[in-house]
Amino acid sequence: MTEILTENKAPDKKQVIYSAIQPSGNITLGNYIGALRNFSLFEDKESLFCVADLHSLTVRQDPAQLRKRSQSLAALYIACGLDPEKNVIYCQSHVPQHAELAWILNCYTYMGELNRMTQFKDKSQKHADNINAGLFTYPVLMAADILLYQTNIVPVGLDQKQHVEICRDIAQRFNGVYGDVFQIPEPYIRKTTAKIMSLSEPTKKMSKSDPDESFVSLFDEPDVIRRKIKRAVTDSEAEIRFDPENKPGVSNLLTILSALKNTTIEEVEKELSGLGYGALKEAAAETIVTEFAPIQSRYKEILADKTYLPNILKENAARAQYMALKTLRKVYKKVGLYQP
Ligand code: TYM
């Protein structure tokens, strides 16, 4: 299995690409740099990008907020440049085959495997009053998402690597019994941007479920972005140097800058050498503001048209269902479900 693909490895255009994001909070700069921004690397008629609304139910959601955030994330995919005519942009709950395949795969997944999932352990701690069965079997639903479409490549951040690995294990186990039913997917994780860190606690991953000041949201206004970056935790030295171990805050800002500017960290270090942290923060904030401005204005345009997005989502759900049914029928037949 390819551990972490290098940035130079060009994706093969003919492959099926699949990824998803949960509409469970503000979409962060971490989601954007670690995942969303990489989706367009694969822009191709076989790419599917999903609003993982069913996954969000593993944590209690406000129903009205969830509905709003689901539309918002779909609009954001398009605003980030993914063409909904070429890519299948859809909501998970509009394609019932996800839940159907997940049930079957549940019967081919071991409790022991699920017990090892670090995200389950983390989320159980965070939501100790609601450790539900869905939270435990979450990776099985994610495996169903990926396997339904005979996916080759799954672009994600580092925190999802373990989930893609269990998906591969389930698929290999199933194929071992029934023959080549599922394509075995590979994760695509960019080495340098696999884990964008929290602004307030730079040794922790930036997460949409953490306090507002710890992340930049794709919907933040320029002044909010500037304020949050200005307050980002750095260190007591004054040297702009990439050293994640000893200088996590500064290294995180360098990572963000180099990712958004499409340059190497060394180049950014060189550009800012001799300057203070104020200059680093200003450069980071302005780069983020410039990157987000066109996305935010396209996003507003998309939502201003009341019929555009619902129509796109309906059409794309039908396209996804057509693809998903092909796999599901094969699975039903293989496992012996009677289909008159
Ligand atoms: P989610 O919604 O938590 O995050 C969406 C994507 O953003 C990446 N990511 C990050 N990357 C770098 N630095 C960060 N700080 C950071 N935070 C988040 C995540 O790795 C992810 O790629 N289970 C998935 C959603 C999902 C999915 C799928 C993904 C459901 N089905 C099928 C791929 C394929 C999740 O909760 O991602």
Side-chain angles (χ1 to χ4, degrees):
M1 168 178 172
T2 313
E3 269 279 301
I4 294 183
L5 299 187
T6 63
E7 312 205 351
N8 302 330
K9 183 164 172 183
D12 179 337
K13 283 277 173 193
K14 280 182 215 81
Q15 295 179 317
V16 176
I17 314 302
Y18 189 95
S19 201
I21 298 180
Q22 289 194 63
S24 50
N26 279 306
I27 303 304
T28 70
L29 183 63
N31 297 132
Y32 180 71
I33 295 179
L36 191 45
R37 193 165 184 266
N38 297 333
F39 294 173
S40 51
L41 290 178
F42 303 100
E43 221 187 317
D44 180 73
K45 65 180 185 310
E46 294 281 44
S47 296
L48 295 106
F49 301 112
C50 168
V51 174
D53 53 357
L54 295 176
H55 275 98
S56 294
L57 298 180
T58 53
V59 171
R60 287 282 170 271
Q61 302 288 335
D62 173 76
Q65 280 278 356
L66 179 59
R67 262 190 291 275
K68 207 168 145 216
R69 284 182 168 149
S70 298
Q71 292 172 61
S72 164
L73 177 55
L76 197 59
Y77 279 148
I78 302 170
C80 285
L82 298 170
D83 180 348
E85 305 282 332
K86 283 205 239 154
N87 303 285
V88 183
I89 292 170
Y90 73 102
C91 287
Q92 192 181 24
S93 65
H94 301 179
V95 181
Q97 288 79 16
H98 287 250
E100 293 178 70
L101 182 61
W103 170 253
I104 303 218
L105 297 182
N106 264 317
C107 305
Y108 295 82
T109 307
Y110 299 117
M111 303 282 283
E113 292 179 292
L114 293 173
N115 255 327
R116 286 197 292 274
M117 295 292 112
T118 53
Q119 199 165 77
F120 172 67
K121 291 180 200 159
D122 291 349
K123 287 206 173 171
S124 311
Q125 265 178 8
K126 241 182 185 168
H127 305 278
D129 56 337
N130 181 23
I131 306 176
N132 59 71
L135 197 61
F136 189 62
T137 58
Y138 175 114
V140 185
L141 179 59
M142 181 160 157
D145 300 342
I146 297 168
L147 299 178
L148 264 181
Y149 302 97
Q150 305 294 342
T151 302
N152 300 92
I153 296 179
V154 188
V156 281
L158 190 61
D159 63 332
Q160 296 300 318
K161 183 168 177 265
Q162 200 184 29
H163 290 160
V164 180
E165 278 164 3
I166 193 176
C167 167
R168 289 167 54 88
D169 292 343
I170 298 168
Q172 270 156 352
R173 181 172 308 134
F174 195 94
N175 284 358
V177 181
Y178 300 107
D180 274 348
V181 178
F182 296 124
Q183 171 68 38
I184 309 298
E186 294 271 349
Y188 176 90
I189 302 170
R190 292 184 87 154
K191 228 185 253 173
T192 47
T193 55
K195 194 173 179 185
I196 301 299
M197 308 309 255
S198 154
L199 298 177
S200 48
E201 280 180 82
T203 49
K204 271 179 56 185
K205 185 190 80 161
M206 182 182 282
S207 168
K208 48 177 130 75
S209 52
D210 281 346
D212 201 47
E213 289 302 308
S214 68
F215 62 80
V216 170
S217 150
L218 258 119
F219 305 116
D220 281 342
E221 296 287 335
D223 282 347
V224 176
I225 296 174
R226 291 187 184 104
R227 192 193 70 224
K228 286 183 176 177
I229 296 292
K230 208 170 181 180
R231 287 193 191 156
V233 168
T234 49
D235 53 62
S236 55
E237 296 180 8
E239 190 194 357
I240 299 177
R241 175 167 50 87
F242 186 73
D243 177 357
E245 191 112 314
N246 300 305
K247 296 170 74 69
V250 168
S251 303
N252 193 35
L253 292 174
L254 286 170
T255 300
I256 292 169
L257 248 177
S258 76
L260 296 182
K261 292 182 111 185
N262 292 317
T263 63
T264 61
I265 289 182
E266 293 78 48
E267 273 175 63
V268 181
E269 269 177 332
K270 215 158 92 192
E271 235 171 73
L272 294 170
S273 87
L275 300 175
Y277 290 170
L280 168 64
K281 287 181 170 180
E282 197 183 319
E286 292 315 313
T287 308
I288 299 167
V289 167
T290 309
E291 177 90 10
F292 285 2
I295 298 175
Q296 292 178 345
S297 80
R298 274 200 300 269
Y299 169 81
K300 282 184 194 143
E301 277 168 32
I302 293 164
L303 286 186
D305 183 335
K306 296 290 171 225
T307 55
Y308 173 73
L309 191 65
N311 286 340
I312 289 281
L313 290 178
K314 275 185 207 150
E315 278 166 26
N316 279 329
R319 287 166 69 197
Q321 284 198 30
Y322 178 81
M323 295 169 81
L325 257 177
K326 265 200 212 163
T327 301
L328 194 67
R329 285 213 181 99
K330 199 165 167 189
V331 168
Y332 276 11
K333 196 168 156 208
K334 290 282 184 186
V335 298
L337 297 179
Y338 174 54
Q339 307 286 295

